């Protein structure tokens, strides 16, 4: 059985640019409409985590490691919901990210051309998760983080990258979620005027 690649998924209609795509792909390992969780078990999660650079190809994946990944995924999803105008972020939801402070160290590397990179200090899952958070930090500084949003359809909440001119995009897919919600709003307005 071949796992579907998440970074090159042709069904992703609004992919984030560059390394931010890894963050989006991690968030979208849970399809909230169908409750299909690609991280539900270690065997199914392994190829995805390797592809996302969160697990070495020969590294063991413990239940605690998988729980840390899922916790960080949910914390990142809460941040993306907030980008979409959602509720304030509950500090408890961010706990898995804060827990990385105790386990994961980062190092600075400088190549021959003088390019500086912040990389995980070791090969553990938690260190790799901390490395992924540097992508979020860079996106926040670059101003691209705010464009990673969650679909306004409460049944969907898929993470998408808003490339609209005014950054006012609200749906992961206009023909699906957008039309569904616009039709609901139209019917609700019609009922209220009767």
């Amino acid at each position: 059985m071949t796992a579907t690649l998440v970074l090159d998924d042709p069904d992703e209609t609004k992919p984030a640019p560059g390394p931010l795509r890894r963050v989006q792909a991690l968030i979208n390992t849970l399809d909230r409409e169908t409750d299909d969780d690609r991280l539900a078990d270690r065997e199914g999660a392994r190829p995805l985590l390797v592809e996302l650079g969160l697990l070495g190809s020969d590294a063991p994946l413990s239940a605690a490691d998988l729980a840390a990944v899922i916790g960080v995924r949910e914390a990142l999803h809460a941040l993306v919901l907030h980008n979409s105008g959602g509720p304030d972020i509950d500090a408890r939801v961010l706990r898995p990210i804060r827990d990385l402070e105790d386990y994961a160290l980062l190092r600075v590397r400088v190549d021959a051309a003088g390019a500086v990179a912040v990389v995980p200090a070791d090969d553990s899952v938690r260190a790799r998760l901390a490395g992924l958070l540097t992508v979020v930090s860079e996106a926040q500084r670059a101003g691209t983080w705010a464009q990673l949003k969650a679909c306004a359809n409460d049944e969907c909440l898929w993470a998408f990258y808003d490339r609209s001119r005014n950054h006012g995009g609200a749906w992961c897919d206009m023909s699906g979620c957008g039309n569904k919600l616009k039709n609901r709003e139209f019917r609700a307005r019609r009922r209220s005027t009767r």
Side-chain angles (χ1 to χ4, degrees):
M1 181 174 111
T2 305
T4 304
L5 297 176
V6 292
L7 293 176
D8 296 324
D9 185 354
D11 293 331
E12 181 58 64
T13 59
K14 296 183 179 179
L20 194 53
R21 177 70 181 103
R22 289 176 54 218
V23 175
Q24 179 187 23
L26 175 61
I27 293 168
N28 287 340
T29 57
L30 174 59
D31 184 329
R32 286 162 169 77
E33 279 187 296
T34 64
D35 285 330
D36 179 26
D37 188 350
R38 297 179 75 184
L39 302 180
D41 62 78
R42 286 186 281 177
E43 185 178 317
R46 171 175 284 290
L48 296 170
L49 296 180
V50 169
E51 181 187 355
L52 292 172
L54 297 176
L55 182 68
S57 59
D58 295 326
L61 177 62
S62 70
D65 288 338
L66 185 56
V69 171
I70 291 169
V72 168
R73 175 188 68 191
E74 294 309 305
L76 291 169
H77 191 252
L79 293 172
V80 167
L81 281 167
H82 187 69
N83 285 350
S84 307
D88 288 338
I89 303 161
D90 184 332
R92 292 173 294 193
V93 175
L94 296 180
R95 187 77 197 145
I97 291 175
R98 289 198 174 102
D99 285 346
L100 293 177
E101 296 172 6
D102 299 331
Y103 296 102
L105 297 176
L106 299 171
R107 288 201 169 123
V108 176
R109 291 214 173 116
V110 181
D111 69 13
V116 177
V118 178
V119 297
D122 62 55
D123 204 32
S124 69
V125 169
R126 285 178 176 84
R128 287 172 177 243
L129 282 168
L132 184 67
L133 293 177
T134 65
V135 172
V136 174
S137 176
E138 288 296 320
Q140 288 172 336
R141 275 196 288 282
T144 57
W145 174 252
Q147 275 67 255
L148 190 58
K149 299 179 177 182
C151 182
N153 179 353
D154 288 338
E155 296 168 3
C156 177
L157 301 175
W158 192 255
F160 71 94
Y161 192 77
D162 180 8
R163 295 180 187 274
S164 65
R165 191 175 300 222
N166 68 353
H167 303 300
W171 302 289
C172 65
D173 177 40
M174 183 58 197
S175 64
C177 289
N179 279 340
K180 188 185 301 183
L181 290 177
K182 284 181 176 247
N183 284 333
R184 276 188 210 155
E185 290 169 3
F186 174 75
R187 286 191 298 271
R189 279 193 310 271
R190 268 186 97 180
R191 279 192 298 269
S192 70
T193 60
R194 287 183 183 176

